Amino acid sequence: MASGNAIRGSRVGAGPMGEAERGESAPRLRISFWCSNGHETQPSFASDAQVPDVWDCPRCGFPAGQDRENPPDPPRTEPYKTHLAYVRERRSDADGEAILAEALAKLRGEI
């Protein structure tokens, strides 16, 4: 016995798909961008939209520009720093010795 809903799998208000139902699409233009690895990306923009100077390359993630011969430089990546490296940037060895001496004095009950 087949019981079910004829509109199973569709959402409320769904209708036929097509340009007549959705209206006319905006005129588009494709702009080429090149990254420093030589990848070309061609996103499409509305003809009246402002085209950005830089676009992210979907293949490598580097910034891409419109000049094929002179693409933007890849971002400089900083090496991973440990918590201790950040502390050493803020404090000198003398500061560290003073803080350690104070903490040890508190633990010993001298303060």
Side-chain angles (χ1 to χ4, degrees):
M1 188 160 154
S3 69
N5 195 341
I7 59 170
R8 185 177 195 169
S10 68
R11 63 180 206 272
V12 174
M17 300 290 284
E19 287 297 317
E21 297 297 322
R22 291 182 286 171
E24 295 295 319
S25 61
R28 315 287 286 166
L29 47 108
R30 287 192 152 315
I31 306 292
S32 292
F33 290 89
W34 288 272
C35 70
S36 59
N37 288 334
H39 302 139
E40 181 182 11
T41 304
Q42 289 186 327
S44 65
F45 297 95
S47 61
D48 59 345
Q50 182 178 359
V51 178
D53 295 330
V54 179
W55 191 262
D56 288 339
C57 177
R59 290 180 64 189
C60 63
F62 287 172
Q66 295 180 32
D67 185 4
R68 182 180 205 160
E69 304 302 320
N70 198 9
D73 293 329
R76 194 167 163 256
T77 57
E78 295 291 326
Y80 174 76
K81 287 186 187 178
T82 63
H83 176 71
L84 182 59
Y86 284 110
V87 170
R88 286 186 175 168
E89 285 180 358
R90 294 192 317 263
R91 307 253 190 230
S92 68
D93 288 341
D95 290 339
E97 291 293 328
I99 292 170
L100 178 62
E102 181 181 341
L104 288 175
K106 279 184 183 178
L107 285 175
R108 293 179 183 139
E110 298 170 5
I111 294 181

